[in-house]
Amino acid sequence: MIISYKNGREYDLDYDDKAHSYKVDGIKVPSVTRVVDGCFPKNLTDWALSVGEEEYHRVIDEALDIGNYTHKWIESFLLSDKFDCENTNPSIEAFLKWCKDYHPKFTDAERKVYCDRFKYAGTVDAVAKINGRVCVIDFKTSKKIYKPYHLQVAAYAQAIKRIDGLRQWPLGIILRLDKLTGEYEQKVFEPKDHMSTFIKCLELRQWSSLRIKNDKNKLESKNESVSNR
């Protein structure tokens, strides 16, 4: 697909769904989620040990199934504007409650973005206008709103600001859709306040991929100079 910037620049973005990887003009670029996960790895070790391997995989698979289904349902709803009332779940009901409360005017769903300034790509869950303000929305079905989520939204907001040529930063919204209660929790914030931290994560990822040269010859030359005294 072609990512077209308002200033006329165009980039050929290729997304591999199976590998969850992105290439721009044939060159692989990091995804937003992997950049953030590299700085804030999901620490499930203690919990996994406490519940056992079988239970661990059951709970994780169930959570992924719910999360993936919820995202797909919302994407279909936003693109077709059709309400499939027979195949909802509590997370979807929470999303519909939020829509009723805030009346968002959605402009994008599952939008692929590429930031040419910092060389990263990603997929934005949704973009909407609420009370005249462009909002970048990330849907979550997790147990709570975790801090690293803010960095994901900041990166998406930066990309959309550049692509669309916006003068004002979009507002960030993390919308947690509870899997059990059907209630929602939202975090509204200014993404620009967190972009510098995402850039540090990006720099750390780039550093971790570097091959560090072993300069053992420098040490040997010093030893030789000592032996010659």
Side-chain angles (χ1 to χ4, degrees), residues 185-201:
E185 174 189 7
Q186 69 173 343
K187 184 71 172 291
V188 182
F189 67 103
E190 293 288 350
K192 64 180 180 179
D193 297 338
H194 305 274
M195 188 59 195
S196 61
T197 303
F198 176 80
I199 294 171
K200 291 182 176 67
C201 289

Side-chain angles (χ1 to χ4, degrees), residues 198-215:
F198 176 80
I199 294 171
K200 291 182 176 67
C201 289
L202 191 60
E203 291 171 346
L204 178 60
R205 185 187 185 280
Q206 293 168 342
W207 174 85
S208 67
S209 66
L210 293 176
R211 182 177 179 273
I212 300 175
K213 182 181 177 181
N214 186 357
D215 284 330

Side-chain angles (χ1 to χ4, degrees), residues 11-29:
Y11 300 92
D12 186 7
L13 177 66
D14 180 50
Y15 174 64
D16 185 333
D17 186 48
K18 187 175 181 180
H20 191 71
S21 63
Y22 298 84
K23 285 184 179 180
V24 175
D25 295 334
I27 300 173
K28 191 172 182 178
V29 297

Side-chain angles (χ1 to χ4, degrees), residues 29-45:
V29 297
S31 72
V32 170
T33 52
R34 289 188 176 177
V35 169
V36 174
D37 287 347
C39 289
F40 302 92
K42 297 178 177 67
N43 186 9
L44 300 173
T45 306

Side-chain angles (χ1 to χ4, degrees), residues 11-218:
Y11 300 92
D12 186 7
L13 177 66
D14 180 50
Y15 174 64
D16 185 333
D17 186 48
K18 187 175 181 180
H20 191 71
S21 63
Y22 298 84
K23 285 184 179 180
V24 175
D25 295 334
I27 300 173
K28 191 172 182 178
V29 297
S31 72
V32 170
T33 52
R34 289 188 176 177
V35 169
V36 174
D37 287 347
C39 289
F40 302 92
K42 297 178 177 67
N43 186 9
L44 300 173
T45 306
D46 293 339
W47 173 71
L49 288 173
S50 68
V51 300
E53 183 179 3
E54 184 176 343
E55 179 66 7
Y56 165 81
H57 286 295
R58 186 192 69 78
V59 174
I60 291 296
D61 290 344
E62 181 180 326
L64 286 173
D65 287 343
I66 294 173
N68 290 336
Y69 179 78
T70 299
H71 275 78
K72 289 293 183 183
W73 192 99
I74 293 174
E75 178 187 5
S76 177
F77 173 77
L78 296 183
L79 293 176
S80 66
D81 198 28
K82 292 181 180 179
F83 182 77
D84 184 4
C85 60
E86 294 183 356
N87 293 294
T88 62
N89 61 28
S91 295
I92 293 168
E93 291 169 5
F95 165 74
L96 295 173
K97 286 180 182 178
W98 179 80
C99 289
K100 185 177 179 181
D101 289 344
Y102 289 92
H103 307 287
K105 296 180 179 178
F106 290 99
T107 57
D108 284 298
E110 294 294 313
R111 177 179 175 180
K112 300 290 187 296
V113 297
Y114 168 64
C115 180
D116 60 353
R117 180 178 180 184
F118 297 108
K119 314 299 183 190
Y120 64 82
T123 304
V124 185
D125 286 345
V127 182
K129 276 193 173 184
I130 302 177
N131 292 329
R133 183 79 181 268
V134 175
C135 299
V136 174
I137 307 167
D138 199 28
F139 303 121
K140 299 295 183 185
T141 55
S142 51
K143 288 188 175 181
K144 65 178 183 178
I145 295 176
Y146 295 97
K147 210 167 186 179
Y149 295 166
H150 299 77
L151 301 183
Q152 288 179 252
V153 175
Y156 296 146
Q158 164 77 332
I160 286 176
K161 180 178 183 294
R162 289 184 61 81
I163 293 170
D164 294 350
L166 302 178
R167 298 184 65 182
Q168 184 181 27
W169 271 77
L171 200 61
I173 300 177
I174 302 168
L175 184 60
R176 190 183 74 84
L177 309 170
D178 196 277
K179 297 189 294 286
L180 299 176
T181 66
E183 299 298 327
Y184 68 81
E185 174 189 7
Q186 69 173 343
K187 184 71 172 291
V188 182
F189 67 103
E190 293 288 350
K192 64 180 180 179
D193 297 338
H194 305 274
M195 188 59 195
S196 61
T197 303
F198 176 80
I199 294 171
K200 291 182 176 67
C201 289
L202 191 60
E203 291 171 346
L204 178 60
R205 185 187 185 280
Q206 293 168 342
W207 174 85
S208 67
S209 66
L210 293 176
R211 182 177 179 273
I212 300 175
K213 182 181 177 181
N214 186 357
D215 284 330
K216 63 180 181 179
N217 291 334
K218 292 184 177 180

